Amino acid sequence: MRKALTLTVATVLTLGLAGCASSTPSSDAASSNPKSGASTNTVAASDSLTAPQIMTKLSAAVPTVKQTIVYTAATDPNSLLGRPGQYTADIRFSDTRVPKDKTQYAKAGDVEFGGAIETFATVQDAQTRAAYVEKVTQAMASLAGEYDFQHGHVLIRVSRFLTPDQVAAYKAFAATLP
């Protein structure tokens, strides 16, 4: 009986530690503008801009952008908002330069209309999400080509229907984030 209990406790502890371990993001995601000199595990969102503040600044930097949806934990279609290791805010936006005929099958809130601003509690969480999004979009031809810019605790996702020249302003903006 005691041996079975010890084995059960050891199994639970092992599984618990494995669940806490984070996967190592790909080198591309990890090197896409991490906050220089900052620990990748401890930069708190409270030390930086909020998602609404970022949206306001993005709208000024890219005049073709308009906020469309601010998700809450109750409305997030992915049911990730506020969960451990996931985004703490998710704002969707449209970009008037996205061709209307390209989004005829998209549904409200899809990144294809313009993009998303996702903020995280830590830089590591943002890096992990960036690596995940990269893996998913590369694996699905219908999503391939999405532009993603992770800087600090922020991930800016941009529609694949914009040209690289059009996306340059997003990349430049992401590099200015604290």
Side-chain angles (χ1 to χ4, degrees), residues 37-86:
S39 166
T40 59
N41 295 321
T42 59
V43 176
S46 62
D47 296 337
S48 301
L49 297 172
T50 65
Q53 290 170 326
I54 294 166
M55 184 69 234
T56 299
K57 290 181 176 290
L58 177 61
S59 296
V62 184
T64 54
V65 164
K66 180 183 176 192
Q67 178 177 307
T68 56
I69 297 174
V70 177
Y71 284 117
T72 66
T75 62
D76 177 21
N78 298 318
S79 300
L80 298 176
L81 198 143
R83 296 186 187 270
Q86 301 300 328

Side-chain angles (χ1 to χ4, degrees), residues 55-68 92-100 111-115 158-159 161-163 165-170 173:
M55 184 69 234
T56 299
K57 290 181 176 290
L58 177 61
S59 296
V62 184
T64 54
V65 164
K66 180 183 176 192
Q67 178 177 307
T68 56
R92 300 302 169 108
F93 57 86
S94 62
D95 188 317
T96 58
R97 299 171 296 173
V98 172
K100 300 276 186 243
V111 170
E112 284 89 349
F113 287 107
V158 181
S159 175
F161 296 127
L162 294 172
T163 68
D165 288 342
Q166 292 170 322
V167 173
Y170 289 99
F173 173 77

